[in-house]
Amino acid sequence: MQGFRDKMLKSKAAFKKTARRQAERVMQKLGAHTSSRNPEVDESVKNVSDLDGQLQELYDGVSEYLIAMQTMQTASLKVASTFSEIMQQQDPQMQETSKKFLEKNKKLEEWIQEAIHQTCMETIVRPTGEKLNEIPELNTKIALRDQKLLDYDAYRSRWSAETQKNADSEQALKLASKVERARESLEIITKDVLGKCANIKHHSPEIVGAAFSSFVACSAYLHARQAESIEPLLQSLPLSAEAITMIAKNSHEELLS
């Protein structure tokens, strides 16, 4: 009987020793984790969130620009067609010029669609859209990490409360194991989130820089091609002198420089 009691005492002592070691390991790994917030994660997530808003605004803005550009050119073609019909009856001398103006507008509309519109889509809209498509997956990872963080904090709180009551209890040992597993799981998802944030942020300057360069190029060629195509018609339109003079009068060089 005495031998049985001795074994029980030894077993209990061994359990307490194991519990203390487990508690010590947990305390060592908790270390500076007085707060489970991670400033690096918070900053990375905020940066990506800001980028998400900026890219979405860029995506929407360029899409609206393309629609407005196409609408304007369609309206210009419609006006040119109307002038061409009117000139046949009202001013035969300008009929040929009005026909040329109509034809040039038709070609410009086709060129804008094939060249400018497609270039903007390929170099701005598509890359921006692809980058935006990466963010929902990241948001899913962030939500998962938030849940892992809640689990970790909950286990840690329960373990802390239990150790204050009885650091050598079986429940304290079980909770210490759960805290450790929760911490490891949190570290894995945190590393994943930080990696995805860094990847999205890393390639963004290149995408935005290329998009801006393309937009400036498209704007320049759009206006240059329109002027190159239509300006020669002014030579056969002496009445355009009044409009040209008014444009020059109302043009302030400091606004265009």
Side-chain angles (χ1 to χ4, degrees):
M1 190 70 177
Q2 182 64 37
F4 177 75
R5 281 199 300 267
D6 290 342
K7 288 182 179 179
M8 288 291 293
L9 289 173
K10 288 182 180 180
S11 177
K12 187 174 181 180
F15 173 78
K16 288 183 177 181
K17 187 176 181 180
T18 300
R20 280 195 297 271
R21 287 179 177 174
Q22 183 70 24
E24 287 172 0
R25 285 197 296 270
V26 172
M27 287 298 294
Q28 288 173 356
K29 291 183 178 179
L30 286 178
H33 286 80
T34 53
S35 171
S36 56
R37 301 305 305 175
N38 187 320
E40 183 182 4
V41 173
D42 292 343
E43 183 178 0
S44 296
V45 170
K46 181 182 182 301
N47 288 339
V48 172
S49 179
D50 292 343
L51 177 64
D52 182 25
Q54 293 168 350
L55 290 179
Q56 189 63 59
E57 187 174 355
L58 174 61
Y59 182 90
D60 294 341
V62 174
S63 298
E64 291 176 6
Y65 169 80
L66 293 176
I67 293 173
M69 179 177 61
Q70 188 62 45
T71 299
M72 183 176 179
Q73 189 57 38
T74 299
S76 179
L77 180 59
K78 183 178 180 181
V79 172
S81 179
T82 300
F83 269 125
S84 181
E85 293 176 3
I86 292 175
M87 290 305 177
Q88 291 182 15
Q89 301 176 358
Q90 301 297 327
D91 195 337
Q93 291 183 346
M94 290 188 181
Q95 181 178 349
E96 187 62 28
T97 302
S98 66
K99 285 183 179 180
K100 289 181 180 179
F101 183 63
L102 175 60
E103 288 303 315
K104 287 182 179 296
N105 269 276
K106 288 180 179 178
K107 290 180 179 180
L108 279 172
E109 183 182 42
E110 183 178 353
W111 175 77
I112 288 173
Q113 182 63 31
E114 292 183 358
I116 301 299
H117 187 277
Q118 290 302 318
T119 298
C120 285
M121 288 294 294
E122 185 64 23
T123 61
I124 305 176
V125 176
R126 184 185 61 77
T128 303
E130 289 177 351
K131 182 58 66 175
L132 284 169
N133 286 337
E134 295 179 17
I135 294 178
E137 180 183 355
L138 172 61
N139 288 337
T140 299
K141 295 286 186 180
I142 292 172
L144 178 59
R145 182 186 179 275
D146 288 343
Q147 184 58 55
K148 296 288 187 183
L149 182 60
L150 288 174
D151 293 342
Y152 172 62
D153 284 344
Y155 284 130
R156 193 174 61 156
S157 177
R158 290 170 57 191
W159 174 79
S160 178
E162 181 63 28
T163 54
Q164 289 178 8
K165 291 188 296 183
N166 184 357
D168 295 331
S169 70
E170 183 178 358
Q171 181 65 9
L173 178 60
K174 290 180 179 179
L175 287 171
S177 297
K178 290 182 178 181
V179 169
E180 176 64 12
R181 288 196 298 270
R183 184 191 63 78
E184 292 175 350
S185 181
L186 177 61
E187 285 186 352
I188 291 172
I189 189 66
T190 296
K191 184 178 179 180
D192 193 13
V193 167
L194 287 173
K196 289 186 180 302
C197 285
N199 183 64
I200 291 174
K201 192 70 176 175
H202 175 69
H203 296 289
S204 296
E206 180 182 349
I207 292 174
V208 174
F212 174 66
S213 301
S214 295
F215 186 75
V216 173
C218 287
S219 297
Y221 272 85
L222 172 64
H223 298 301
R225 184 65 178 269
Q226 287 175 323
E228 179 185 342
S229 177
I230 296 174
E231 189 175 4
L233 297 178
L234 295 175
Q235 298 176 6
S236 59
L237 297 171
L239 293 178
S240 64
E242 182 179 356
I244 294 172
T245 300
M246 187 176 296
I247 291 171
K249 181 181 178 180
N250 294 329
S251 295
H252 302 287
E253 289 302 323
E254 62 271 17
L255 298 178
L256 298 175
S257 60

